[in-house]
PDB file of all heavy atoms in Angstrom:
ATOM      1  N   ALA A 122      18.366 -14.302  -7.491  1.00  0.00           N
ATOM      2  CA  ALA A 122      19.073 -14.298  -6.198  1.00  0.00           C
ATOM      3  C   ALA A 122      20.568 -14.467  -6.459  1.00  0.00           C
ATOM      4  O   ALA A 122      21.412 -13.786  -5.851  1.00  0.00           O
ATOM      5  CB  ALA A 122      18.548 -15.413  -5.305  1.00  0.00           C
ATOM      6  N   ASN A 123      20.908 -15.335  -7.417  1.00  0.00           N
ATOM      7  CA  ASN A 123      22.321 -15.518  -7.759  1.00  0.00           C
ATOM      8  C   ASN A 123      22.915 -14.261  -8.402  1.00  0.00           C
ATOM      9  O   ASN A 123      24.075 -13.941  -8.176  1.00  0.00           O
ATOM     10  CB  ASN A 123      22.479 -16.739  -8.672  1.00  0.00           C
ATOM     11  CG  ASN A 123      22.286 -18.037  -7.895  1.00  0.00           C
ATOM     12  OD1 ASN A 123      22.678 -18.141  -6.721  1.00  0.00           O
ATOM     13  ND2 ASN A 123      21.665 -19.026  -8.525  1.00  0.00           N
ATOM     14  N   VAL A 124      22.102 -13.580  -9.195  1.00  0.00           N
ATOM     15  CA  VAL A 124      22.572 -12.316  -9.771  1.00  0.00           C
ATOM     16  C   VAL A 124      22.888 -11.316  -8.647  1.00  0.00           C
ATOM     17  O   VAL A 124      23.933 -10.671  -8.629  1.00  0.00           O
ATOM     18  CB  VAL A 124      21.519 -11.711 -10.736  1.00  0.00           C
ATOM     19  CG1 VAL A 124      21.899 -10.299 -11.154  1.00  0.00           C
ATOM     20  CG2 VAL A 124      21.328 -12.614 -11.953  1.00  0.00           C
ATOM     21  N   LEU A 125      21.967 -11.225  -7.688  1.00  0.00           N
ATOM     22  CA  LEU A 125      22.178 -10.289  -6.578  1.00  0.00           C
ATOM     23  C   LEU A 125      23.466 -10.652  -5.826  1.00  0.00           C
ATOM     24  O   LEU A 125      24.264  -9.781  -5.484  1.00  0.00           O
ATOM     25  CB  LEU A 125      20.986 -10.311  -5.616  1.00  0.00           C
ATOM     26  CG  LEU A 125      19.703  -9.641  -6.123  1.00  0.00           C
ATOM     27  CD1 LEU A 125      18.563  -9.843  -5.128  1.00  0.00           C
ATOM     28  CD2 LEU A 125      19.923  -8.137  -6.353  1.00  0.00           C
ATOM     29  N   LYS A 126      23.649 -11.954  -5.597  1.00  0.00           N
ATOM     30  CA  LYS A 126      24.875 -12.386  -4.905  1.00  0.00           C
ATOM     31  C   LYS A 126      26.105 -11.960  -5.692  1.00  0.00           C
ATOM     32  O   LYS A 126      27.086 -11.495  -5.122  1.00  0.00           O
ATOM     33  CB  LYS A 126      24.865 -13.910  -4.732  1.00  0.00           C
ATOM     34  CG  LYS A 126      23.988 -14.372  -3.583  1.00  0.00           C
ATOM     35  CD  LYS A 126      24.440 -15.728  -3.063  1.00  0.00           C
ATOM     36  CE  LYS A 126      23.596 -16.832  -3.650  1.00  0.00           C
ATOM     37  NZ  LYS A 126      23.869 -18.166  -3.100  1.00  0.00           N
ATOM     38  N   SER A 127      26.030 -12.098  -7.024  1.00  0.00           N
ATOM     39  CA  SER A 127      27.197 -11.737  -7.849  1.00  0.00           C
ATOM     40  C   SER A 127      27.475 -10.233  -7.787  1.00  0.00           C
ATOM     41  O   SER A 127      28.554  -9.774  -8.111  1.00  0.00           O
ATOM     42  CB  SER A 127      26.987 -12.184  -9.295  1.00  0.00           C
ATOM     43  OG  SER A 127      26.083 -11.302  -9.942  1.00  0.00           O
ATOM     44  N   LYS A 128      26.483  -9.478  -7.358  1.00  0.00           N
ATOM     45  CA  LYS A 128      26.680  -8.027  -7.188  1.00  0.00           C
ATOM     46  C   LYS A 128      27.087  -7.697  -5.757  1.00  0.00           C
ATOM     47  O   LYS A 128      27.054  -6.531  -5.324  1.00  0.00           O
ATOM     48  CB  LYS A 128      25.391  -7.263  -7.534  1.00  0.00           C
ATOM     49  CG  LYS A 128      24.964  -7.403  -8.974  1.00  0.00           C
ATOM     50  CD  LYS A 128      25.915  -6.666  -9.897  1.00  0.00           C
ATOM     51  CE  LYS A 128      25.815  -7.201 -11.320  1.00  0.00           C
ATOM     52  NZ  LYS A 128      27.024  -6.952 -12.100  1.00  0.00           N
ATOM     53  N   GLY A 129      27.382  -8.724  -4.997  1.00  0.00           N
ATOM     54  CA  GLY A 129      27.880  -8.503  -3.641  1.00  0.00           C
ATOM     55  C   GLY A 129      26.788  -8.348  -2.594  1.00  0.00           C
ATOM     56  O   GLY A 129      27.055  -7.948  -1.460  1.00  0.00           O
ATOM     57  N   VAL A 130      25.549  -8.655  -2.954  1.00  0.00           N
ATOM     58  CA  VAL A 130      24.459  -8.496  -1.991  1.00  0.00           C
ATOM     59  C   VAL A 130      24.426  -9.713  -1.063  1.00  0.00           C
ATOM     60  O   VAL A 130      24.452 -10.850  -1.529  1.00  0.00           O
ATOM     61  CB  VAL A 130      23.094  -8.370  -2.714  1.00  0.00           C
ATOM     62  CG1 VAL A 130      21.947  -8.284  -1.702  1.00  0.00           C
ATOM     63  CG2 VAL A 130      23.092  -7.150  -3.623  1.00  0.00           C
ATOM     64  N   SER A 131      24.369  -9.476   0.230  1.00  0.00           N
ATOM     65  CA  SER A 131      24.217 -10.602   1.159  1.00  0.00           C
ATOM     66  C   SER A 131      23.264 -10.224   2.287  1.00  0.00           C
ATOM     67  O   SER A 131      22.646  -9.154   2.251  1.00  0.00           O
ATOM     68  CB  SER A 131      25.581 -11.053   1.678  1.00  0.00           C
ATOM     69  OG  SER A 131      26.114 -10.052   2.490  1.00  0.00           O
ATOM     70  N   VAL A 132      23.156 -11.123   3.271  1.00  0.00           N
ATOM     71  CA  VAL A 132      22.195 -10.955   4.367  1.00  0.00           C
ATOM     72  C   VAL A 132      22.231  -9.545   4.955  1.00  0.00           C
ATOM     73  O   VAL A 132      23.302  -9.038   5.300  1.00  0.00           O
ATOM     74  CB  VAL A 132      22.504 -11.972   5.497  1.00  0.00           C
ATOM     75  CG1 VAL A 132      21.574 -11.751   6.687  1.00  0.00           C
ATOM     76  CG2 VAL A 132      22.367 -13.386   4.976  1.00  0.00           C
ATOM     77  N   GLY A 133      21.078  -8.911   5.045  1.00  0.00           N
ATOM     78  CA  GLY A 133      20.990  -7.602   5.695  1.00  0.00           C
ATOM     79  C   GLY A 133      21.235  -6.419   4.773  1.00  0.00           C
ATOM     80  O   GLY A 133      20.968  -5.279   5.149  1.00  0.00           O
ATOM     81  N   ASP A 134      21.713  -6.671   3.543  1.00  0.00           N
ATOM     82  CA  ASP A 134      21.917  -5.553   2.608  1.00  0.00           C
ATOM     83  C   ASP A 134      20.575  -5.056   2.086  1.00  0.00           C
ATOM     84  O   ASP A 134      19.625  -5.808   1.977  1.00  0.00           O
ATOM     85  CB  ASP A 134      22.767  -6.004   1.411  1.00  0.00           C
ATOM     86  CG  ASP A 134      24.231  -6.164   1.797  1.00  0.00           C
ATOM     87  OD1 ASP A 134      24.647  -5.556   2.808  1.00  0.00           O
ATOM     88  OD2 ASP A 134      24.955  -6.908   1.100  1.00  0.00           O
ATOM     89  N   LYS A 135      20.526  -3.766   1.752  1.00  0.00           N
ATOM     90  CA  LYS A 135      19.280  -3.176   1.264  1.00  0.00           C
ATOM     91  C   LYS A 135      19.271  -3.087  -0.256  1.00  0.00           C
ATOM     92  O   LYS A 135      20.255  -2.660  -0.857  1.00  0.00           O
ATOM     93  CB  LYS A 135      19.095  -1.753   1.819  1.00  0.00           C
ATOM     94  CG  LYS A 135      18.512  -1.644   3.201  1.00  0.00           C
ATOM     95  CD  LYS A 135      19.145  -2.508   4.227  1.00  0.00           C
ATOM     96  CE  LYS A 135      19.416  -1.873   5.543  1.00  0.00           C
ATOM     97  NZ  LYS A 135      20.715  -2.307   6.072  1.00  0.00           N
ATOM     98  N   VAL A 136      18.141  -3.460  -0.828  1.00  0.00           N
ATOM     99  CA  VAL A 136      17.964  -3.405  -2.273  1.00  0.00           C
ATOM    100  C   VAL A 136      16.721  -2.564  -2.559  1.00  0.00           C
ATOM    101  O   VAL A 136      15.638  -2.884  -2.077  1.00  0.00           O
ATOM    102  CB  VAL A 136      17.759  -4.835  -2.837  1.00  0.00           C
ATOM    103  CG1 VAL A 136      17.408  -4.790  -4.310  1.00  0.00           C
ATOM    104  CG2 VAL A 136      18.998  -5.694  -2.585  1.00  0.00           C
TER     105      VAL A 136
END
Side-chain angles (χ1 to χ4, degrees):
N123 287 324
V124 171
L125 287 175
K126 281 204 262 186
S127 76
K128 296 290 159 204
V130 177
S131 68
V132 176
D134 286 338
K135 277 49 136 220
V136 173

